[in-house]
Amino acid sequence: MTALVRLLQVTASPPSLQDNTGDLDRLQRAIRTRPGFAACRLVVPHRRLKELAAHFRACGFRGVALLNELPAVPGPAPAGEPAGWELVDFLAASPLRLPALALDLGTTHLEAVLLDLLSGDELGRATRENSQIVHGADILSRIHFAAGQQEAGNGLARLQAAVIGDVNVLASQLAGEAGLAAAEIRALSVAGNTAMGHLFLGLDPYHLCREPYIPVVNAPGPVAAAELGLNLHPAAPVHVLPGVGSYFGGDLLAGIVACDLDLAAEPAMLIDVGTNAEVVVGCRDWLVACAGAAGPALEGGVAKMGMRAGPGVIERVSIDPDSGALSFRVIGEDRVVTESSSAAGAPPPPPARGLCGSGIIDLMAELFLAGMIDIRGKFRPERMGERLVQGPDGPALVVAWPAEAAGGEAVVVSQVDLDALMRSKAAMYAILATLMEQVGLPFTALGRIYVAGAFGRHINPRQAVVLGMIPDLPLATYRPVGNSSLAGARRYLLAREARERIGAVAKKITYLELNVNHEFMIRFSGSRFIPHTDRSLFPSVPVP
Amino acid sequence: MTALVRLLQVTASPPSLQDNTGDLDRLQRAIRTRPGFAACRLVVPHRRLKELAAHFRACGFRGVALLNELPAVPGPAPAGEPAGWELVDFLAASPLRLPALALDLGTTHLEAVLLDLLSGDELGRATRENSQIVHGADILSRIHFAAGQQEAGNGLARLQAAVIGDVNVLASQLAGEAGLAAAEIRALSVAGNTAMGHLFLGLDPYHLCREPYIPVVNAPGPVAAAELGLNLHPAAPVHVLPGVGSYFGGDLLAGIVACDLDLAAEPAMLIDVGTNAEVVVGCRDWLVACAGAAGPALEGGVAKMGMRAGPGVIERVSIDPDSGALSFRVIGEDRVVTESSSAAGAPPPPPARGLCGSGIIDLMAELFLAGMIDIRGKFRPERMGERLVQGPDGPALVVAWPAEAAGGEAVVVSQVDLDALMRSKAAMYAILATLMEQVGLPFTALGRIYVAGAFGRHINPRQAVVLGMIPDLPLATYRPVGNSSLAGARRYLLAREARERIGAVAKKITYLELNVNHEFMIRFSGSRFIPHTDRSLFPSVPVP
């Protein structure tokens, strides 16, 4: 194990008149007798001097030193050697566990894992809404809020305090569940998009959203938890994972390392759909990335009844192409709700509240295969029967009747919702195609496509292929990888190899700015049909 | 110039869509294009991120980076290469001056020099009493006070606050006199004894005065001024110079470097008399040091009318061996006061207030040469005439008659005072002789003896030789060097070579514990005569 925090057994000779060097000089001298520590950089932060010396003395000059690894310096360093250590604590004996927190710092949600750095075991996992949401739902409105002055302090300080508070709640909760105190947590790694990283560190995000979109810093150094107001151990190093630019943060670099994209012998791809769709293609020799606004519809954020995956949300829809009968399944229920199951005498169906991204994708693919929408994604009223209704936004399709719906209000999807999904799916395919065009490879060169996040967990790749959202490849090519950002943050804590790789990836990756790419706009237009204007791109999709 | 703080002209390409890395990444990239900076360690403290990036941007991405040198790591480092840099500020253009403060942190007095790191020029110099004195006049009483709890906070915190306040006053005063603000001071070096260094850093001095006399740390790393509550620039690095042990602090290491003792081809000696007498002997190949309680009488602290050198204080005394006529000179006056000058009709003599160490030494040597005291330092009443009086402490000698004295009270030196000086001079010679015995060299092997401090500035070496306080060597051997501790702290700021040497000296020096040395006690006994029981050691001193 080459965790970010290391325990080192140390036995120093006790002080005497013949050996009367200082306590901390004695401790450092003893550490330097250990293999690999002879000539390393060893620093003691000023704030730790007093307590460290007192603990060392109280332990009788023998016990366990706690060392935080210092980040590597660019340039040639001895292989496998850390750049140095920060000496922060001394314990009488090795603890049974060495807790550390890995955090995926999302715009909407925070997800954290409490780890034991000694065993690598997961001690707990929790999620929490980002409290910054009350100051703005999306990144742009938060950047705007950050620049303002409010009576309770400036906007930036309030946003920082909100997210620090969230992390403190998660830390206390996870520590408590594991029988620990938050102050026993000895390290924190944070993977987030660049704006979230800025707000977490209290850095001005003003230029992130203004051309040419410049972060204050891509690779901030570690900072002690106490300096950020975190309730972890005061000397716990907090590492905000490096990013590459305004649109390409540490969350995505963490994902690349979590999927081993940077080690792959054959080209592979990582798709992470959050508020943006972020895509990386590459292998051990090269990496190219891009991002674009394709997400909201796919996360359920565009359709009027769209929502994030959760209990009571429709995630699967199927339509019998002959009878046009629609059935669906809600998250948290094994039963499929069919036309007949809602007939008189049957047990009441589980109430549906809305549709998540995968539910809308399923629905739209099934509508297309049943001939109920055309290749432009427009309703064909003559094929829809009684499910076609007039809603406030114009024509709409009833997915769940009032009797099947929570609150007794039918779950409907309108033409407006479908149009939004068409734009999202077109943007997604255009992003992927433009990226492959830029790297000069066909989709078939990709051995794996990793699909991250809730989108990857819930989507049925076959339905996404039918819609022409993702390329028509063997379905085994697609691999859901869950929260790859969190997985990367976790690896960062556990293995020096992962820390070094994230730094190397940040240097190696080429970022492609799609917003200024003419090629992308052309491809976007051709992708606004199901599956595409060029049907030869999707040979497996039948003509309904 | 290889000052502790360096200015580096930097021109970065401005941000663009094609080059959209972060502000601080851009700055670091530009720094790395400068010779010698390609692969160096470059860190930005968390607290400086925001302001540094804002300044860099406000300067249009070109200007002058301000870099603090990081301390070297033990072990093989490329010659002449610094261990790394801390990047803390960015300026539009090179300032005309780069102010830094060097401080001699004494138990009784603080003396500071304001320097310009660009030219090496001295911008000002000031002294101030150590405010800790109200909590204890000497080191032991302050260590005792530090351990106590008072209503206004614990003793240690109060002592730290007192001395930090003193440094702030000195910084404001010196900056103001130079037309600057204290916040423009960019670095501070502190040379003090080990206890003073502990109190300055807020470290517990409890074990310094208890066997086996262990400091918390001998070589503390640098700390930002803001962390200590200093009113310098918040990012100014504060370096407390390393010491070797409880009785051998950074003040003496600074003195060694200031006198180039560690570079000497032939053995030389440094004597620093403060509250303790601290002595180092050595050359470029070896260094041996010791310390002992010999000081108070020599600083004027033992004799009832003894005082530190200052206006109105008698610093020179001479006695005509034939007539027994006594004359003296007070500091700040050119005239010598003689028996005849105080006769009727002459202008009134300058009033005398007391005697400083050099005055008492002069007096005692002249008394001996005039046969007015014997080889034990005892008055010979039959030779003293009307100057012998009976004081509250028994027999005493009138040095200045009431008409010559400030306040109209005669300046007298009693037998008790002379006995104290005899003990001090014996201790001093015993220290020097024991040290030379330990290193196996005769005094004649010493090419130079540097005498530091007020003692060195005022003493007449010939008179000290007559007393047998210092060895009977050609007088040109003795060199007064002033405040060598402050001179070393000043060099530390200006030259990397001096910083590296101080670290090297700390490792190289051997410290001899005299308190546990039997040899010392034997030599002390033989030295309690004028000049010595063994007259052959002082061939130049006449038998009166």
Side-chain angles (χ1 to χ4, degrees), chain B residues 307-347:
Chain B
M307 48 187 64
R308 283 174 66 96
V313 172
I314 295 172
E315 60 164 351
R316 288 278 172 268
V317 179
S318 58
I319 299 173
D320 184 295
D322 298 324
S323 69
L326 184 152
S327 55
F328 61 86
R329 199 173 67 200
V330 302
I331 293 175
E333 290 285 338
D334 286 338
R335 284 183 301 153
V336 173
V337 178
T338 63
E339 307 269 349
S340 57
S341 67
S342 48

Side-chain angles (χ1 to χ4, degrees), chain A residues 15-26 28 32 38-42 44 46-47 49-50 53 57 70-76 83-84 154 156 160 201-204 207 211-223 227-228 244-246 511 513 516, chain B residues 15-26 28 32 38-42 44 46-47 49-50 53 57 70-76 83-84 154 156 160 201-204 207 211-223 227-228 244-246 511 513 516:
Chain A
S16 68
L17 281 175
Q18 285 67 47
D19 177 11
N20 61 356
T21 193
D23 286 346
L24 295 182
D25 310 277
R26 181 177 308 277
Q28 295 194 40
R32 292 196 183 286
C40 69
R41 168 166 293 273
L42 201 54
V44 181
H46 172 70
R47 292 165 172 223
L49 284 179
K50 214 166 156 175
R57 197 165 257 279
L70 292 174
V73 173
N154 67 62
L156 176 55
Q160 185 184 21
L201 291 173
L203 301 177
D204 186 359
H207 293 284
E211 204 179 313
Y213 314 109
I214 307 297
V216 170
V217 62
N218 278 319
V223 48
E227 282 198 62
L228 291 172
V244 176
S246 287
Y511 182 72
E513 187 66 65
V516 292
Chain B
S16 68
L17 282 175
Q18 286 66 47
D19 177 10
N20 60 358
T21 193
D23 286 347
L24 295 182
D25 311 277
R26 179 177 309 278
Q28 294 193 42
R32 291 194 185 287
C40 70
R41 168 165 295 272
L42 201 53
V44 181
H46 172 70
R47 293 165 171 222
L49 284 179
K50 214 166 155 172
R57 196 166 259 278
L70 293 174
V73 173
N154 66 62
L156 176 55
Q160 184 183 22
L201 290 172
L203 301 177
D204 186 358
H207 293 283
E211 203 179 313
Y213 315 108
I214 307 296
V216 171
V217 62
N218 278 318
V223 48
E227 283 198 62
L228 290 173
V244 177
S246 288
Y511 182 72
E513 188 65 65
V516 292

Side-chain angles (χ1 to χ4, degrees), chain A residues 239-276:
Chain A
H239 286 239
V240 174
L241 272 57
V244 176
S246 287
Y247 290 116
F248 201 93
D251 50 352
L252 206 42
L253 289 187
I256 290 169
V257 169
C259 299
D260 292 331
L261 211 64
D262 57 322
L263 302 180
E266 308 275 13
M269 181 181 267
L270 168 63
I271 302 175
D272 193 351
V273 181
T275 309
N276 272 328

